[in-house]
Amino acid sequence: MAALAACAHEPAGSPAASAPGEPASAERAGRSSGEPARPSLSPEEQARVNEFARAYADFLARAKTVREAVRELSALAQKSGGAVTIVEQRPDAIALARAGRRPLGEGIAIVVVPLDAPHLRLLPAPLEEREHFGMLRTTLHGTLDLKQWLSIPLALHGFIPGKPGLVIGEQPGDPVLVVPDLLPHLAMHAQAERIIEPSNMSVLGSLGGARALGEALAARGVPPDDLATGEFSVVPADAPTFVGADRALLAGYGAGSRALAYGAVRALVDAAPEHGVLVIGVSSLDGASAGRPFVRTAIERSVAASGGDQWAVRGLIAHSLAVIGHAVGGEPGKGIALGPLDDDATPEAQRRLLRGIEHGGGRFQISSTEARGAPARELSTQNLDAIELGVPEMGSQAPLPVISAFDLYQGYRACKGLFELP
Amino acid sequence: MGAQLLLLALLSVTAEDLATDLRVFLDLGRTAAQAAAVARQRAQAAGFRKLDPLDRTACGAIRPDDRLLVALREQSVLLVRVGRQPGRGRWIGAHLDGCGLRVQPGKIPQNGQMRAVAYGGIKPYHYRDRPLLLTGRVVRRDGSVVDLTLGPSDGFSFLVTEMPPPDDHALRARAPFVVVAAQTAAPLQEVLRTRFGVREDDLAASELYLVPAQPTREVGLDRALVGGPGQDDRLCSLAALRALLDARDPDRTAAALLVDREEEGSHRAGARSELVDATEACLAQAAQVRPGALFARSQALSADVKAGVDPLFPQVHELRNAPVLGGGPTLVKFTGGGWFRGSEAHAELVAAVRALAARIGVPLQGSLSGRVDEGGGGTIALFLAQRGMDVVDVGLPVLSMHSPFEISAKSDLYQGYRLFMAFFEEPVTR
């Protein structure tokens, strides 16, 4: 904790760094009390942080799957009144662009963000009967802290091609699903080695058996055939919630992994960019290269839209900076976290990002995470400087990760500052 | 049988009605004291009057058909309907406390991180990353009592960020949990002061719990289940409460004993409370029998939830002797792990309850507390037996017991309610 606190940086233009003799701001008072790391904000600043976090919580409640996130980000972009264009939209990916004052050849700022979050995915033939209950067999999508997913209300989000989507469990009057957990009285032996095996993560779908559950799904427009073709995600049913009487923390499904996706698109809508900006949402950054083809496609499309060819694409990439926006460690409440800076970007690129963050008035910390950023490394092979930037979260594999509203807002400021950097 | 059908038609209470009532009861009664308050309100609305069992005159004035309410402190409640044969009794005991986290009394630490300890046997991981509600009572320095609840309706929740390691094989823990109340102490202090007039010094005398903030939900696409915290044992408490309120003209004196502190040893005003004995003595005096004689001429059901067969861990159950959700109330010949807070019912009483259930068409399931040597659990049965009552454990099956999202079947609650009501109404046969 102490080591991380020492890494918290103060932007040059912030009130805390203002010259001596100026009226002491709330933030200065906070710092003089020997608590350097915990920023206290002016009421106006706090109100902006709170408003932003509330809007983000609404976004998270509506965007629990990748497809829903694409839909919500697309809707958000359309609020710009045409300044932001949708370069490419796929069911599970989206690229948004905004022209800057400078020509494309001088490079652009690219933000690549993942849109997924860990969840349970129904198997193609999920119906089974266990001890008279109707159950749904699942597989794990992403890394889940399995015990944290037991005994919580779960919702089912289904996408079936050519049909309206299926959502069960998100409205207060909806029934929910659950993976039950063993009572402690009888857990002595059965859970001594491991709380639950991944292959045992079946979701309780009905008191009636498999036939009753199949009929209940069919009655909601999902016959067994559609179970085999569609995408069915099981996610926590609860809406995000603020934590603590000061509402300084936000607990919500996907809160950490999608923070910069939301922050970057909000900044894209609000900014008056100097260089061109491309915000690319991909389904996943897992497996290093998952999002790479789409990133390249999105760059090519945006260059082609302004009449450029492959030479223009390569030239643009050489002068551009990519920010990979996902959780990279750091301590909540200390600002947006930069991934380890020593590897995948040149010092020039690092300085450009830091200047951008400072320009936007954002506060940052440098993460000491052990995890090396595979996504940034992968993009750096494209002759693209890539730096990871993310909102610190607690419990990234838990159903309700926790982030700080302050950090969330710093992510927005960092993006906006980078976009508007002269 | 014809009379029973007529009775059912008159009843017009459906499984859905009871399930809705259960959800209201669970959402209003987050602590034993709150659930006791709901029970008192329901009883008073149904014509029950308060009885002080220590008041000799009041005890002398008790008459058949009286409806009496005895508050065992604020946390437990004993409801009595005096029978036409007041020297005989039928009791149902259930508990109002549920597992959760109890806040350590005292000041809020400067870093805003409160300390809480387990109440009842909980798995620590169930409480991490789960939005929690702060609720309970504070007695201010001037002696005034404040009931406070802080949670989602105020726009925020509390959250456990550090949990103690499990300290036994059942994954339970006694060491404190760390709970975020704010980034510093000040915001919570301010809310407590402005909303409730509670100053920090006042917290030294408090009983505050952190319970899951989520409201109860229907579970399953067939909506046949109810999920939510505290169903152990507010599920049986509600069945007993409704059965006592709705029963018609009980022949024997009918009593529902709904108590706190079962999960922690039934102390304070729990099942072991002297106030239960005082009330019996009071009723015995009115029935003109010696103290203890009413107990001796009473049958009792210890109504506590039982572990329904877990579909993911069937191996811990003795499957031929384990209840399934939706299969009806459970009848337990003996409880405990064979040694821990165990109780064994007389075969005569087991036979009588089975015959009663068969007469009204309520399915009964056999139950043990898990396979031999997998662990087990006790109920308040032994505290009723110690007073001379003839006791058998009859309960309702739940899944995920002791977790913040316990699951019960609507149909089981309905059948439990019918059985309990028939138990109260059963006439004395010559």
Side-chain angles (χ1 to χ4, degrees):
Chain A
M1 298 276 279
L4 276 171
C7 282
H9 293 253
E10 197 62 40
S14 84
S18 53
E22 285 186 15
S25 68
E27 181 151 359
R28 283 181 66 89
R31 287 174 64 82
S32 64
S33 69
E35 281 272 296
R38 196 68 76 191
S40 57
L41 304 173
S42 69
E44 301 77 37
E45 195 68 2
Q46 189 65 55
R48 275 195 289 272
V49 168
N50 293 349
E51 187 282 323
F52 194 84
R54 269 194 296 273
Y56 180 56
D58 290 343
F59 166 80
L60 282 180
R62 289 192 304 268
K64 291 201 172 174
T65 66
V66 172
R67 286 173 186 270
E68 290 164 0
V70 167
R71 182 191 69 204
E72 292 300 319
L73 292 178
S74 173
L76 199 55
Q78 279 156 22
K79 286 184 181 167
S80 70
V84 176
T85 55
I86 298 173
V87 178
E88 180 86 7
Q89 182 169 347
R90 295 180 186 176
D92 59 351
I94 188 167
L96 303 165
R98 183 163 191 165
R101 281 187 279 270
R102 306 279 187 95
L104 280 182
E106 291 188 25
I108 60 172
I110 301 169
V111 181
V112 182
V113 287
L115 302 178
D116 66 343
H119 61 268
L120 299 169
R121 184 66 70 91
L122 295 195
L123 295 184
L127 290 169
E128 70 169 347
E129 186 155 325
R130 289 200 192 191
E131 307 300 335
H132 311 292
F133 291 103
M135 312 283 292
L136 295 164
R137 288 191 65 73
T138 69
T139 184
L140 313 184
H141 183 98
T143 311
L144 284 72
D145 186 352
L146 289 184
K147 65 183 188 304
Q148 300 302 130
W149 287 72
L150 302 177
S151 209
I152 63 166
L154 297 169
L156 179 65
H157 290 238
F159 168 79
I160 307 140
K163 286 195 175 181
L166 171 83
V167 179
I168 301 170
E170 294 291 355
Q171 298 302 317
D174 278 0
V176 294
L177 310 176
V178 68
V179 182
D181 193 12
L182 195 53
L183 62 166
H185 316 60
L186 299 179
M188 182 165 66
H189 299 132
Q191 294 185 321
E193 294 284 315
R194 197 170 186 184
I195 303 291
I196 189 162
E197 296 293 331
S199 60
N200 209 19
M201 286 293 285
S202 284
V203 179
L204 197 167
S206 67
L207 176 64
R211 178 190 287 263
L213 180 52
E215 285 168 0
L217 280 165
R220 290 168 185 265
V222 187
D225 218 36
D226 286 349
L227 286 171
T229 51
E231 288 172 17
F232 292 88
S233 304
V234 178
V235 299
D238 288 310
T241 177
F242 286 94
V243 176
D246 50 7
R247 298 169 185 80
L249 301 174
L250 179 67
Y253 175 62
S257 58
R258 290 175 183 150
L260 222 65
Y262 183 78
V265 175
R266 279 282 301 262
L268 187 67
V269 171
D270 294 349
E274 185 74 8
H275 293 83
V277 182
L278 195 53
V279 177
I280 302 170
V282 295
S283 63
S284 168
L285 292 175
D286 283 352
S289 60
R292 189 174 125 179
F294 186 75
V295 171
R296 181 81 186 198
T297 304
I299 294 170
E300 287 169 357
R301 286 286 166 87
S302 61
V303 171
S306 56
D309 57 8
Q310 59 149 323
W311 300 99
V313 169
R314 293 213 161 83
L316 174 140
I317 287 176
H319 291 101
S320 295
L321 170 67
V323 170
I324 316 287
H326 68 144
V328 289
E331 190 185 349
K334 307 281 174 66
I336 189 86
L338 279 83
L341 289 174
D342 53 351
D343 222 13
D344 304 312
T346 59
E348 290 83 352
Q350 294 170 19
R351 177 53 61 199
R352 183 171 158 196
L353 176 59
L354 295 180
R355 280 179 49 225
I357 295 172
E358 286 175 6
H359 184 70
R363 184 188 285 248
F364 70 95
Q365 57 183 314
I366 296 174
S367 166
S368 59
T369 179
E370 296 281 314
R372 279 287 181 247
R377 181 157 301 173
E378 198 59 30
L379 276 185
S380 71
T381 65
Q382 299 263 308
N383 196 28
L384 185 62
D385 280 307
I387 303 175
E388 290 171 300
L389 189 68
V391 171
E393 65 178 341
M394 294 185 276
S396 62
Q397 297 164 10
L400 294 184
V402 181
I403 62 168
S404 143
F406 174 79
D407 299 341
L408 175 73
Y409 191 62
Q410 304 316 301
Y412 164 77
R413 285 182 138 188
C415 289
K416 191 159 180 280
L418 177 66
F419 299 164
E420 293 181 336
L421 185 67
Chain B
M1 198 62 201
Q4 290 299 333
L5 285 175
L6 176 67
L7 194 139
L8 274 178
L10 285 170
L11 262 179
S12 74
V13 173
T14 66
E16 281 302 322
D17 294 339
L18 281 171
T20 305
D21 202 12
L22 172 66
R23 292 179 63 189
V24 170
F25 187 59
L26 294 174
D27 287 339
L28 290 177
R30 307 276 194 154
T31 67
Q34 291 164 4
V38 174
R40 289 199 303 268
Q41 287 157 12
R42 293 280 186 91
Q44 283 176 312
F48 283 67
R49 66 179 163 82
K50 281 190 178 168
L51 169 73
D52 177 1
L54 308 182
D55 181 339
R56 183 190 300 261
T57 316
C59 292
I62 293 172
R63 297 287 175 269
D65 293 330
D66 275 359
R67 296 171 175 229
L68 306 170
L69 159 64
V70 180
L72 312 178
R73 307 280 179 92
E74 295 296 318
Q75 60 200 103
S76 302
V77 63
L78 174 53
L79 302 173
V80 180
R81 291 181 61 179
V82 182
R84 288 174 300 231
Q85 298 201 34
R88 295 165 181 266
R90 285 261 161 118
W91 298 61
I92 298 180
H95 68 94
L96 293 171
D97 57 324
C99 292
L101 295 178
R102 179 156 180 204
V103 178
Q104 290 187 340
K107 292 186 175 179
I108 304 158
Q110 272 311 304
N111 62 6
Q113 298 185 347
M114 299 158 71
R115 293 278 189 276
V117 293
Y119 178 88
I122 61 170
K123 291 173 163 180
Y125 63 81
H126 281 159
Y127 281 82
R128 203 192 79 192
D129 296 332
R130 173 148 355 218
L132 300 170
L133 176 95
L134 180 73
T135 188
R137 295 148 53 82
V138 177
V139 179
R140 288 186 289 224
R141 289 177 70 90
D142 63 7
S144 55
V145 179
V146 181
D147 287 306
L148 67 83
T149 296
L150 272 178
S153 60
D154 306 283
F156 66 93
S157 306
F158 296 81
L159 201 79
V160 169
T161 52
E162 286 175 42
M163 53 183 184
D167 68 355
D168 68 18
H169 289 302
L171 309 165
R172 292 178 285 213
R174 291 282 158 184
F177 291 68
V178 176
V179 182
V180 172
Q183 301 300 295
T184 64
L188 184 59
Q189 288 166 347
E190 176 161 341
V191 172
L192 291 174
R193 191 173 62 246
T194 55
R195 282 271 320 272
F196 302 104
V198 167
R199 297 157 61 89
E200 217 189 352
D201 289 350
D202 296 331
L203 293 176
S206 63
E207 184 167 336
L208 294 170
Y209 296 89
L210 287 155
V211 299
Q214 309 143 332
T216 53
R217 300 288 294 256
E218 287 180 304
V219 176
L221 299 194
D222 51 7
R223 296 181 185 266
L225 305 166
V226 171
Q231 299 204 55
D232 175 4
D233 182 36
R234 291 176 202 132
L235 175 66
C236 294
S237 291
L238 180 74
L241 171 66
R242 285 291 305 263
L244 187 82
L245 299 185
D246 296 352
R248 258 165 305 232
D249 305 325
D251 220 6
R252 302 173 180 83
T253 289
L257 174 63
L258 310 178
V259 292
D260 191 8
R261 288 295 184 278
E262 191 273 344
E263 300 292 357
E264 294 275 322
S266 295
H267 57 289
R268 264 170 55 181
R272 290 155 64 191
S273 171
E274 147 70 14
L275 287 169
V276 178
D277 301 87
T279 306
E280 191 269 350
C282 173
L283 295 168
Q285 183 193 328
Q288 297 180 324
V289 296
R290 64 174 175 77
L294 176 60
F295 279 148
R297 289 193 196 169
S298 289
Q299 288 96 38
L301 305 183
S302 172
D304 206 343
V305 296
K306 291 287 170 290
V309 173
D310 186 319
L312 304 182
F313 295 94
Q315 70 271 25
V316 304
H317 301 278
E318 181 63 46
L319 286 175
R320 287 187 183 182
N321 289 282
V324 294
L325 264 68
T330 63
L331 177 66
V332 192
K333 281 173 68 78
F334 42 87
T335 65
W339 45 272
F340 170 72
R341 286 171 59 180
S343 176
E344 181 162 1
H346 293 130
E348 291 87 341
L349 183 57
V350 171
V353 173
R354 291 188 64 184
L356 175 65
R359 255 199 319 280
I360 59 171
V362 168
L364 273 185
Q365 311 189 73
S367 168
L368 298 174
S369 302
R371 278 176 74 96
V372 173
D373 200 35
E374 288 287 353
T379 71
I380 61 169
L382 78 165
F383 304 121
L384 305 179
Q386 282 165 359
R387 294 183 167 107
M389 285 188 258
D390 198 5
V391 189
V392 63
D393 269 278
V394 173
L396 300 174
V398 300
L399 278 185
S400 299
M401 196 196 292
H402 282 210
S403 88
F405 199 67
E406 299 175 316
I407 297 163
S408 65
K410 293 176 179 177
S411 59
D412 291 335
L413 171 60
Y414 178 64
Q415 300 293 8
Y417 162 77
R418 287 185 60 214
L419 179 64
F420 291 173
M421 196 157 63
F423 179 70
F424 285 140
E425 289 176 345
E426 191 175 34
V428 176
T429 50
R430 310 247 164 225

